[in-house]
Amino acid sequence: MAVAGVLGVALATGGLTSGTDRAFAHPAPGAGQSQSGAGANPRGSTGHQSPSAAPPPAAPRAFATGGPVLAGPVDGAGTMPTTAGLQRDLAQVLQDNALGAMNFAIADGNTGQLLYGSGENTPATPASTTKLLTAVAALALIPADARISTKVVKGGTPGEITLIGGGDPTVTGLPLDQIRVGGMPLDAESAPASLAELAQRTAIALKAVGTTAVKLGYDTSLYSGPLLHKQHDAMNIAAVTPLMVDEGRIDPKSPDEAPARVFDPAEQAADAFADLLRAQGITVDGKATPGPAAVGAQQVAAVESPTVPRLVERMLTTSDNTLAEAIARQAAIAAHQPASFDGAVAAVTGTIQKLGVPMAGVVLNDGSGLHTGNLISPLVLAKVLGLAASPEHPELRPVLTGLPIAGFTGTLLTRFGAASGAQSAAGIVRAKTGTLGGSGVYTLAGTTVDADGRVLVFAFMSRTPGDGFATRSATDRIVARLASCGCH
């Protein structure tokens, strides 16, 4: 049974809506077409909830639009590798000095049986592979058709309206045909909610009752606890607030992996919304002011995010820290925990444990993996990936479809190439990266199919003061060897 069936889901509280109109966890690849204009996003409602050595030159990162480029791993029927075979066939690549201090685990993807490891039970700094636990917890707790709602409600007095953040950081102020994620356009199923669409719907509803001038407020009360991540740098992550537009980027079109962020994303979003209302012929009196919406306030209009599984895929493919913290808070709300760093950690830890993964020694401080105090063992990462591959948990499959594909998508776009000597695994391996360069942390956890067609899961966790490109390349060569051998 999915954990969601045990714990329940607080849909309304977290700004989530649930329906069946276009909800599926891992759709077939689409045409990659984008839509333009304020009215292009069909996920909206008016007055009600809708259903629901030096590295090679960097290239634009790709994003698997409309679904995975390659299908997720399937149950392999080949002969299982042996521990002796893995020891023999991986011995040379595991001795590379560039790996520094490495802990690792290799397990059978069908049974979860540990096949080979070294320090597999020893917790190490996971960096962004922390997002695997966040993803599994969110998918276990939240229905596959759930979407995050950003809405406008009536204020406490006539002529007042309040913009309420539901925790969707992907709401965009751009026309949909200008949006790029990982350098690539998005299809209709992945397209974010449009702030312009929300303004248009709000203006239509206001004019229908004869209102053409308003006082605007904005509500960020969904989240509690610290606003800033301990490692906040206003680039790798924005301030963690339930109301923002384009993840708080100063330049929403920036192709940088760590773009500059505004100081106050919620204020930026409210100001942008006010400008869009004015463009629709609504007079907005003065500057938007923060404050909670009136209890039981009537909804004026709303727009919705893609389904949570599609958000999870985007988070994993591009290793999006801001989105990861938002998804972690949705998991917290579903688990009846505070929507804070601590509440998210409690929800993720408790859910993973309920799914049967032993969490002794695991230390989490966030949902993104930016925190340098996080600790996860390679075996826990491998077991979490095994859950996602298990036929008993189809709700977790977006974890696999969201993993970057070696040499093709996301954070693996420029890896597993000729420069690393691991090109034989390009297009075969799917894995989540994790890097804290200043701390010398380099992790890789994912899935592959070996020479006999057997699905394997793995987690390699290195810490070294050496060259990061050399460490990543050495790790890639281990995985490439794993993919090419039967290892009997």
Side-chain angles (χ1 to χ4, degrees):
M1 177 183 292
V3 174
V6 178
L7 299 179
V9 183
L11 291 176
T13 305
L16 288 172
T17 58
S18 182
T20 58
D21 55 339
R22 297 190 304 156
F24 41 91
H26 41 94
Q33 296 176 341
S34 60
Q35 298 172 327
S36 62
N41 189 344
R43 295 188 300 270
S45 61
T46 303
H48 65 279
Q49 291 184 337
S50 67
S52 316
R61 295 198 182 281
F63 179 68
T65 64
V69 173
L70 302 181
V74 295
D75 294 340
T79 304
M80 187 185 301
T82 65
T83 300
L86 288 164
Q87 288 175 326
R88 179 193 65 242
D89 291 346
L90 299 182
Q92 183 176 357
V93 287
L94 282 169
Q95 292 171 3
D96 195 316
N97 290 333
L99 295 169
M102 171 177 275
N103 300 352
F104 70 90
I106 300 169
D108 180 61
N110 304 314
T111 67
Q113 177 183 342
L114 177 68
L115 301 174
Y116 185 31
S118 175
E120 65 273 11
N121 287 303
T122 303
T125 306
S128 279
T129 54
T130 302
K131 294 181 177 74
L132 293 171
L133 277 66
T134 300
V136 165
L139 292 169
L141 287 164
I142 302 169
D145 59 356
R147 303 173 188 269
I148 303 173
S149 177
T150 303
K151 58 189 177 182
V152 176
V153 300
K154 290 184 177 180
T157 60
E160 290 185 352
I161 59 172
T162 302
L163 174 64
I164 301 178
D168 177 13
T170 69
V171 175
T172 185
L174 294 172
L176 297 185
D177 61 351
Q178 295 182 23
I179 300 170
R180 298 292 182 270
V181 175
M184 298 294 290
L186 299 178
D187 67 11
E189 285 298 323
S190 298
S194 168
L195 195 67
E197 176 71 11
L198 181 59
Q200 183 183 61
R201 290 174 177 269
T202 300
I204 290 172
L206 291 172
K207 291 175 183 178
V209 295
T211 300
T212 58
V214 295
K215 175 66 177 175
L216 176 64
Y218 60 97
D219 183 344
T220 61
S221 62
L222 179 65
Y223 291 177
S224 60
L227 183 67
L228 301 182
H229 190 283
K230 184 177 179 181
Q231 269 72 47
H232 177 80
D233 61 0
M235 291 184 294
N236 281 287
I237 190 170
V240 184
T241 173
L243 177 63
M244 62 176 70
V245 59
D246 293 307
E247 300 193 8
R249 291 177 174 88
I250 292 175
D251 177 5
K253 296 182 181 179
S254 172
D256 295 341
E257 291 182 36
R261 316 276 180 160
V262 299
F263 174 74
D264 187 340
E267 181 182 63
Q268 178 207 32
D271 288 346
F273 184 67
D275 288 342
L276 290 166
L277 282 178
R278 293 183 181 105
Q280 292 289 332
I282 301 296
T283 299
V284 179
D285 181 20
K287 188 172 177 61
T289 56
V295 176
Q298 181 182 348
Q299 182 170 297
V300 176
V303 290
E304 295 178 324
S305 72
T307 60
V308 169
R310 297 313 300 269
L311 293 175
V312 165
E313 289 178 330
R314 171 173 170 170
M315 171 191 74
L316 293 173
T317 302
T318 61
S319 200
D320 189 320
N321 296 314
T322 299
L323 182 54
E325 297 301 343
I327 290 173
R329 278 156 180 74
Q330 294 298 329
I333 293 165
H336 308 292
Q337 295 285 345
S340 63
F341 285 107
D342 289 345
V345 166
V348 171
T349 302
T351 303
I352 299 297
Q353 194 163 18
K354 283 182 171 66
L355 287 167
V357 177
M359 297 292 280
V362 172
V363 176
L364 296 181
N365 295 279
D366 65 10
S368 62
L370 271 178
H371 200 290
T372 56
N374 288 354
L375 291 171
I376 304 174
S377 71
L379 188 58
V380 166
L381 290 174
K383 285 184 175 293
V384 165
L385 285 164
L387 281 173
S390 169
E392 296 179 5
H393 293 283
E395 75 280 7
L396 303 182
R397 191 52 60 95
V399 173
L400 303 184
T401 56
L403 291 176
I405 301 169
F408 283 91
T409 64
T411 56
L412 288 184
L413 178 63
T414 59
R415 291 180 63 166
F416 290 88
S420 68
Q423 63 268 37
S424 63
I428 299 173
V429 170
R430 304 186 72 125
K432 181 71 198 76
T433 57
T435 303
L436 291 174
S439 301
V441 171
Y442 302 96
T443 65
L444 189 68
T447 68
T448 191
V449 178
D450 72 7
D452 293 326
R454 194 84 185 186
V455 177
L456 304 177
V457 295
F458 59 83
F460 294 94
M461 309 180 75
S462 290
R463 192 155 198 156
T464 174
D467 175 59
F469 177 70
T471 302
R472 290 190 295 268
S473 296
T475 303
D476 293 353
R477 287 191 291 271
I478 298 172
V479 177
R481 181 66 186 128
L482 182 64
S484 66
C485 79
C487 299
H488 304 307

